Amino acid sequence: LSKPGTKFMLLAGSAAEKRHWGPPRIKESEIRGDFSPSFKIESMKQSWFDLDRRRHSKKGPWAWCVMMTRKRE
């Protein structure tokens, strides 16, 4: 639950990730479809989760970083 004008940041696993490990993955179209009715998407970019030192990779799994604002009813 949120009020109009509320800022919301979503950090989620990206469907672009090809490795077998990592967080659950979501497509850009799913984020837009689920959130666009109630939120204005201010920015959406792909990034990486922090380094995974257990596997010695330079970057963790692909991630979506999305900043949104709750729309007025």
Side-chain angles (χ1 to χ4, degrees):
L1 299 172
S2 61
K3 295 179 182 180
T6 300
K7 300 286 185 185
F8 172 56
M9 187 177 125
L10 172 70
L11 184 61
S14 171
E17 180 59 58
K18 302 298 183 203
R19 293 177 274 193
H20 299 284
W21 53 274
R25 294 153 178 92
I26 190 168
K27 297 177 185 176
E28 178 181 358
S29 60
E30 293 174 295
I31 294 170
R32 291 189 184 279
D34 289 346
F35 289 95
S36 289
S38 299
F39 289 87
K40 178 183 178 194
I41 297 175
E42 305 291 344
S43 69
M44 177 183 276
K45 67 177 187 172
Q46 281 198 311
S47 187
W48 294 272
F49 283 99
D50 198 1
L51 301 176
D52 186 346
R53 290 172 181 81
R54 294 171 294 148
R55 301 187 192 284
H56 307 290
S57 59
K58 292 183 180 181
K59 295 179 181 167
W62 277 104
W64 284 111
C65 185
V66 187
M67 184 58 109
M68 299 176 249
T69 303
R70 178 71 184 215
K71 294 178 181 177
R72 305 249 177 248
E73 302 291 326

